[in-house]
Amino acid sequence: MSDSQLLLTNNGRTDVVQWDNYSFVLNNQRIFLYSGEFHTFRLPVPSLWPDILQKVKAAGLNAISVYTHWGLINPSPEVIDFNDYRALQPLYDAAKEAGVWIVLRPGPYINAETTAGGIAHWVTSQVAGMLRTNASDYTAAWQDYIHGIINETAANQVTQGGPVIVRYMFTNTLTLDNEYTQYGFPGSAGYFADLEADYHNSSIVVPLTYNDPGEGRNFVNGTGAVDIYGLDAYPQGFDCSNPEVWSALPTNWHDYHENTNPSQPWYFPEFQGGAFDAWGPTAPGYEACRVLTGADFESVFYRALWASNGKLMNFYMVYGGTSWGALPYHGVYTSYDYGSSIAENRTLTEKYAELKRQGLFLRSSSEFYKTDWIGNSSTGAVVVSNPAAFAVYLRNPDSGAGFYIMRQTNSSSTATTEFQLNVQTSAGVLTLPQAGSNITLSGRESKVVVTDYLFGSSRMLYSTAQVLYAGVIGGRDVLFLYGDSSQEHEASIAFTGIPNMKASGPTISIQCDNRRDTTISFLPGLNGLVTVYDSSTQLVLFADTVTAGSFWSPVISGSGEFSNYWQFGTNTSILVGGPYLVRNATIEGPTLALQGDLETGVRLIVIAPPGLEEVTWNGVPVLADVQAASSLSSVGGFVGQLGMSLTAAHITVPSLTNWKYADSLPEIIRGFADTNWTLADHRTTNIPFPPYYGDGRILYGCDYEYCENIVLWRGHFNATGDEQSVNLSINGGEAFAASVWVNNFFLNTSYGNSTNDRHILEETDDKFHFPPGSLLPGQDNVITIVQDNMGLNETGSTPDASKSPRGVRGFQLNTGNFSEWRVQGKVGGYTNYPDKVRGVMNEGGLFGERQGWHLPGYDISSWTTRDLTEGLPNGTAGVGFFVTTFDLSIPSGYDVPISFNFDNSTQPYRVYLYVNGWMMGKRVANLGPQTKFPVQEGILNYKGTNTVAVALWAMENMAVSPSLELNIDGIYEGGVGGIVTNNPGYSPLERI
């Protein structure tokens, strides 16, 4: 019976997306949703989005999960902005071109280690009701944003020929909000119901989903219940300090699903694809996170999802990107690399190769999309000879194909475990291996033993080797197996056709048994690619694991509105080995055209349909090695050599010199006029965290539209001469700082703290003593505070935690009172900020920012020549701007990741790094850990002049000496091409 004839469930709004207890059925075809998280706002160059999508597709994934950011799209009341990097249509177009589905996650709350969890900053101060509930003013606040998402998305649903298949509520298919509890707060369930009603009263018809932050069974039934329930899981947590030490693998996922929503497919909307890193000198950095969640973690934990019979899963993150400007919440720094498979600078990591090996297996294995969970070795349903090994048995109820997923019983074990496995096959119960001695798990490793496995029209009785690829190429059934070269592996295949070649040698043993199957033993020491069997009807290949990871299987586009989508527009693919990345392949007449990237010269290996006369790489014909090709395959094989152009050796970046300097803290100079600043005279606030002391005035930045980055406060008082000190309680979030002056005398700096998410200090309460001679009795005196807002809190013990009281929570002279307070943040606040391209999160309130010194084209010719390493003049506390320009001339046809790198010394300064007007980094030198700041092409002009501005805040009366240099992080011949820069320059309009 075909899936179209089965009893399927849908949401009553469309039958294009349906489901049963196994998986999604899309356009009457069963799919395994294998997805990676990608936030376009963390890569603010839309012409680079196809690069990530092509890399996702090349890894065998068929979907991305995408958060949209309320605070960026709806920066102020009644303003909706889908321009530039906030746009959705370019993403939808690029996804359809790549053949990648989209699970859209518009929130409104998204968490995502972003300020206020994505809630628009204006909402945190203008809404009196509790956030993330059905409070009437909060409901009114998200209407424009959600209806904007609906309008942008409706025509891009799969029902309209688009890529969006699901919508996510509360983080995530369309997903609703994010990681929320159904009855945790009054009105929370009603909030979901209100969101659902808005979607149901619109032209959105795709299913709505939800991700539960824990095993709470939220929104499965009752008020606000969604179409598809999902569970988040981050089993290794978020401390990468000991990356070799694993937490145990949860073993109850299958049981939890069966007891929670057994009639729905098992969905993991967020599964750990890395980890975020925190502030502090002991923070381990993202490379440690990439080890903690590395290829061995993917091998064990991702396959454990399969073993729980999960068929819908998304890895958070597949590409993390950059939390530039004011995007981060206060717990994380600028980089959002996340230790993911694709690094922040868009390069591929070792994790990517394992992700690809798994992805290509899943794409090849349609029988795996529908399986019954039979049992495991702890229940006796599977017999394993060694209790140190653990196995789960899944079976396709229609075809009988079996999948035995094996790992160490102790998932953290690094031991070598050998065992035999009893499997059920069409030939009866067999003990594997049949000819060899053992199946081996080398430490943290998981494997899938397949039985009665289909490839093309052929069937493999069993294999202890892993399947990389199974399908049809040029009319022949093709199977590509792999395994570690230090282990033995075995497969039993019914060979067919007229044989042309059969492997032989000391590392391969082939023997026929009394069945029609042939048993192939792959012995330790086998490295590289081997043609096992080549006939008129079949091609069987084997490689070691590393070599298998260097292969790609690009999809050849078909026809129809889903021509680039596997299963829906095409079932044609080829095999390509060698290059750093294969982005695309097309066949036109006798020519196979490959597009991709090279990191170095490589041997090109191709398995394609017969009859091709030419293979091109990025448009250039490749000379064939006919003899090598004939040893690879009798037909359709191609071997050639790809080399890097000599141009690559001459790609360089300049040193950063010829810096110009200007003071950026005139506010401490006597006579500075702040009459145009905002008068801070509010006596009430919607922020539910009252001041600790003072005179009742509210000094919270968000109450005056200044939520982002640096905010300056000026408190005036008429001195009598008796004043000796001022007490200030300042809230800026983790790792913040606030420097305080009285008139032009530096008093001290209050430091927030975080040491790898420990010893957290979000606010300070300090007494600042006035030095002799600092006051002017009988005259106006000014307390000036330069305060950094590190981002608003995410939801904590209450949804209103995002209404963070960033600013001054207490102010008191030891005697006397303040006459007035003035406040200044970025120009225009969140309603009238002038830079509509870079948006509301880009700038802060420093004088230089308000003047536009960070923007390309600002005239610095009259500034003082001063090198950045000299720091501020006289070695005093303060703020200064250093600006220089440099030229790049990087040739077309290359992808060259570039980063800005500060020295790694510990000094009391903070730096705000602007590149062509974009705030691309915040360096906190007294805490760390980040010193390297990747900046993408498109922000950088690779064929012209670039402006770099460094706002240097020295936080003590001592000399600081930052250094900064450009580095090339890799040279890749190829790239996605067509990168567009959009870096508006300086204009005096609206600057103050």
Side-chain angles (χ1 to χ4, degrees):
M1 181 182 294
S2 70
D3 286 323
S4 62
Q5 298 173 295
L6 296 175
L7 183 61
L8 300 173
T9 299
N10 60 54
N11 62 0
R13 298 174 62 78
T14 180
D15 60 3
V16 173
V17 184
Q18 302 188 87
W19 59 90
D20 56 16
N21 59 312
Y22 295 111
S23 65
F24 271 155
V25 175
L26 183 62
N27 278 334
N28 293 322
Q29 293 204 58
R30 191 176 293 281
I31 67 167
F32 191 118
L33 186 71
Y34 212 50
S35 171
E37 188 82 14
F38 168 40
H39 302 157
T40 53
F41 57 83
R42 285 186 161 116
L43 182 61
V45 183
S47 49
L48 278 175
W49 298 346
D51 177 66
I52 302 301
L53 292 169
Q54 289 170 13
K55 289 168 178 172
V56 165
K57 177 71 171 290
L61 277 68
N62 59 1
I64 57 170
S65 172
V66 179
Y67 275 140
T68 59
H69 199 292
W70 183 6
L72 292 171
I73 292 169
N74 183 199
S76 57
E78 300 181 1
V79 174
I80 297 296
D81 185 356
F82 285 104
N83 296 309
D84 306 301
Y85 66 89
R86 295 163 292 271
L88 289 178
Q89 195 59 52
L91 173 66
Y92 295 154
D93 294 342
K96 190 167 182 183
E97 178 66 24
V100 173
W101 303 113
I102 291 177
V103 174
L104 189 67
R105 310 208 299 165
Y109 179 87
I110 62 173
N111 207 65
E113 289 72 59
T114 188
T115 178
I119 294 175
H121 281 170
W122 62 268
V123 174
T124 68
S125 61
Q126 293 194 17
V127 168
M130 183 175 284
L131 305 179
R132 303 181 71 190
T133 69
N134 63 352
S136 58
D137 54 352
Y138 180 67
T139 302
W142 53 256
Q143 291 294 318
D144 287 344
Y145 166 65
I146 289 298
H147 285 277
I149 296 290
I150 289 170
N151 292 338
E152 293 292 311
T153 304
N156 292 281
Q157 297 173 94
V158 65
T159 54
Q160 304 296 316
V164 179
I165 59 172
V166 184
R167 199 155 194 149
Y168 198 71
M169 293 177 60
F170 302 140
T171 36
N172 308 322
T173 330
L174 190 57
T175 301
L176 293 181
D177 206 74
N178 184 56
E179 298 170 346
Y180 202 45
T181 56
Q182 193 166 9
Y183 301 110
F185 304 96
S188 56
Y191 168 37
F192 261 61
D194 289 346
L195 277 168
E196 289 176 310
D198 269 41
Y199 288 125
H200 290 162
N201 291 327
S202 77
S203 51
I204 295 297
V205 299
V206 294
L208 304 178
T209 71
Y210 158 78
N211 59 322
D212 200 335
E215 296 179 0
R217 297 184 173 90
N218 290 289
F219 298 105
V220 177
N221 301 295
T223 303
V226 295
D227 297 318
I228 302 291
Y229 168 87
L231 176 68
D232 283 4
Y234 290 85
Q236 296 307 323
F238 302 101
D239 184 352
C240 305
S241 300
N242 298 291
E244 302 294 343
V245 178
W246 279 8
S247 297
L249 175 70
T251 58
N252 70 323
W253 284 332
H254 172 260
D255 291 342
Y256 176 75
H257 173 235
E258 290 298 303
N259 292 323
T260 301
N261 61 327
S263 64
Q264 298 175 0
W266 190 205
Y267 184 22
F268 288 88
E270 287 187 27
F271 190 81
Q272 187 158 25
F276 63 79
D277 196 36
W279 293 101
T282 62
Y286 279 116
E287 287 310 312
C289 295
R290 210 177 323 276
V291 172
L292 177 68
T293 61
D296 53 354
F297 170 83
E298 293 175 318
S299 176
V300 174
F301 282 77
Y302 290 9
R303 288 187 176 94
L305 300 182
W306 305 358
S308 72
N309 221 11
K311 305 299 183 191
L312 293 77
M313 55 197 63
N314 173 61
F315 302 115
Y316 189 105
M317 307 283 300
V318 71
Y319 172 74
T322 304
S323 290
W324 55 276
L327 278 175
Y329 99 113
H330 65 129
V332 296
Y333 46 89
T334 301
S335 176
Y336 201 66
D337 179 281
Y338 216 79
S340 54
S341 294
I342 305 173
E344 181 182 6
N345 61 10
R346 297 179 295 105
T347 57
L348 307 181
T349 71
E350 290 184 10
K351 290 178 60 172
Y352 181 90
E354 174 61 21
L355 185 70
K356 180 177 60 172
R357 285 187 288 262
Q358 295 184 23
L360 294 182
F361 164 76
L362 290 173
R363 200 186 74 186
S364 298
S365 307
S366 59
E367 291 175 297
F368 193 57
Y369 304 173
K370 179 183 181 181
T371 57
D372 290 322
W373 192 91
I374 305 302
N376 59 44
S377 50
S378 69
T379 65
V382 183
V383 176
V384 179
S385 64
N386 186 342
F390 179 84
V392 173
Y393 177 31
L394 307 178
R395 183 174 60 207
N396 184 293
D398 301 326
S399 70
F403 303 87
Y404 293 81
I405 302 171
M406 304 173 300
R407 60 169 173 84
Q408 305 270 8
T409 300
N410 174 4
S411 59
S412 300
S413 173
T414 58
T416 297
T417 298
E418 297 180 335
F419 59 95
Q420 293 85 42
L421 172 72
N422 286 6
V423 297
Q424 299 182 38
T425 74
S426 56
V429 176
L430 303 177
T431 298
L432 303 185
Q434 290 272 281
S437 56
N438 290 294
I439 301 171
T440 302
L441 292 172
S442 298
R444 293 168 171 176
E445 179 183 19
S446 180
K447 292 182 175 181
V448 180
V449 168
V450 297
T451 60
D452 294 307
Y453 179 84
L454 191 69
F455 65 103
S457 59
S458 300
R459 191 165 287 278
M460 176 166 57
L461 183 64
Y462 68 82
S463 176
T464 67
Q466 303 305 284
V467 176
L468 179 73
Y469 175 92
V472 178
I473 300 177
R476 290 197 300 173
D477 298 340
V478 177
L479 178 67
F480 193 149
L481 303 174
Y482 70 94
D484 287 358
S485 59
S486 62
Q487 302 172 0
E488 64 178 68
H489 314 277
E490 186 175 287
S492 180
I493 304 170
F495 288 149
T496 64
I498 301 171
N500 297 302
M501 66 180 82
K502 188 179 294 186
S504 61
T507 56
I508 293 183
S509 172
I510 298 178
Q511 62 185 54
C512 296
D513 56 23
N514 52 13
R515 302 186 300 266
R516 63 189 181 98
D517 303 298
T518 298
T519 300
I520 310 101
S521 298
F522 306 99
L523 305 179
L526 198 162
N527 288 288
L529 178 68
V530 175
T531 301
V532 177
Y533 182 76
D534 177 293
S535 77
S536 57
T537 59
Q538 291 178 325
L539 177 65
V540 179
L541 306 170
F542 181 89
D544 65 275
T545 301
V546 174
T547 300
S550 71
F551 269 79
W552 310 86
S553 182
V555 173
I556 308 298
S557 294
S559 58
E561 62 181 355
F562 296 113
S563 59
N564 297 319
Y565 286 85
W566 184 255
Q567 292 183 254
F568 300 92
T570 177
N571 286 306
T572 302
S573 61
I574 61 173
L575 286 166
V576 180
Y580 172 80
L581 172 66
V582 177
R583 296 180 180 272
N584 193 30
T586 58
I587 297 175
E588 294 187 10
T591 299
L592 169 64
L594 300 174
Q595 293 179 307
D597 298 5
L598 294 179
E599 186 177 21
T600 186
V602 294
R603 195 75 160 158
L604 177 69
I605 300 172
V606 177
I607 302 294
L612 295 176
E613 299 174 4
E614 181 183 52
V615 174
T616 65
W617 176 258
N618 292 338
V620 178
V622 182
L623 183 64
D625 184 333
V626 177
Q627 182 175 357
S630 64
S631 300
L632 171 68
S633 176
S634 58
V635 294
F638 179 92
V639 178
Q641 186 69 29
L642 299 177
M644 294 277 284
S645 166
L646 295 177
T647 304
H650 301 287
I651 296 175
T652 60
V653 292
S655 298
L656 297 176
T657 58
N658 302 317
W659 291 93
K660 293 285 191 172
Y661 169 80
D663 177 70
S664 185
L665 195 60
E667 292 88 352
I668 64 172
I669 299 174
R670 179 168 174 75
F672 178 85
D674 60 17
T675 53
N676 290 328
W677 286 24
T678 301
L679 181 65
D681 60 353
H682 293 184
R683 296 283 175 169
T684 62
T685 179
N686 290 321
I687 295 172
F689 304 97
Y692 294 125
Y693 51 86
D695 60 12
R697 278 177 284 193
I698 305 297
L699 303 188
Y700 298 160
C702 289
D703 275 331
Y704 303 96
E705 298 195 14
Y706 303 129
C707 283
E708 298 83 28
N709 301 310
I710 289 178
V711 175
L712 285 85
W713 301 90
R714 301 190 88 223
H716 295 256
F717 64 98
N718 191 293
T720 65
D722 294 330
E723 296 85 359
Q724 297 179 352
S725 63
V726 62
N727 279 75
L728 296 171
S729 180
I730 303 173
N731 183 297
E734 292 183 41
F736 89 98
S739 294
V740 182
W741 285 260
V742 60
N743 300 321
N744 65 338
F745 286 79
F746 174 67
L747 301 182
N748 212 337
T749 294
S750 280
Y751 294 98
N753 191 30
S754 174
T755 305
N756 193 23
D757 263 347
R758 298 176 179 86
H759 312 296
I760 292 171
L761 191 64
E762 292 188 36
E763 61 187 14
T764 56
D765 190 10
D766 293 320
K767 178 179 286 189
F768 298 84
H769 295 274
F770 301 147
S774 61
L775 299 184
L776 302 169
Q779 301 182 49
D780 182 45
N781 292 259
V782 182
I783 298 292
T784 300
I785 305 170
V786 178
Q787 178 217 340
D788 200 354
N789 179 351
M790 305 300 286
L792 304 188
N793 293 45
E794 297 173 319
T795 292
S797 58
T798 167
D800 272 349
S802 295
K803 297 180 178 180
S804 305
R806 300 290 186 253
V808 182
R809 292 194 71 181
F811 57 91
Q812 183 64 62
L813 295 165
N814 72 296
T815 183
N817 299 301
F818 287 93
S819 57
E820 72 172 19
W821 280 92
R822 297 272 175 172
V823 60
Q824 182 63 60
K826 70 170 178 293
V827 175
Y830 54 61
T831 55
N832 293 305
Y833 58 92
D835 192 341
K836 296 299 191 284
V837 170
R838 299 178 182 91
V840 71
M841 298 288 183
N842 191 56
E843 298 176 7
L846 289 175
F847 182 79
E849 294 173 296
R850 306 194 313 263
Q851 291 285 301
W853 293 354
H854 58 294
L855 295 170
Y858 187 89
D859 184 5
I860 59 172
S861 60
S862 63
W863 288 19
T864 301
T865 298
R866 183 178 183 84
D867 195 75
L868 177 62
T869 58
E870 298 180 84
L872 302 188
N874 304 317
T876 57
V879 182
F881 255 72
F882 292 81
V883 179
T884 190
T885 61
F886 62 93
D887 293 333
L888 291 175
S889 181
I890 295 176
S892 299
Y894 287 89
D895 189 353
V896 183
I898 292 174
S899 61
F900 289 75
N901 294 265
F902 289 92
D903 62 277
N904 62 359
S905 61
T906 300
Q907 300 183 60
Y909 73 79
R910 301 166 91 86
V911 153
Y912 305 85
L913 173 67
Y914 279 98
V915 179
N916 290 329
W918 297 79
M919 188 199 285
M920 295 309 299
K922 184 179 290 188
R923 160 86 168 120
V924 179
N926 65 302
L927 280 179
Q930 188 174 7
T931 60
K932 176 178 179 176
F933 296 86
V935 178
Q936 308 289 346
E937 182 180 3
I939 302 297
L940 283 168
N941 182 351
Y942 275 24
K943 293 180 173 60
T945 299
N946 296 269
T947 298
V948 57
V950 172
L952 174 61
W953 173 2
M955 298 182 291
E956 303 286 352
N957 274 333
M958 62 179 290
V960 295
S961 54
S963 64
L964 180 63
E965 64 180 18
L966 286 175
N967 287 118
I968 290 176
D969 296 333
I971 297 176
Y972 304 95
E973 189 172 286
V976 72
I979 309 305
V980 177
T981 59
N982 186 14
N983 303 323
Y986 170 75
S987 169
L989 298 177
E990 300 179 287
R991 290 289 166 183
I992 61 173

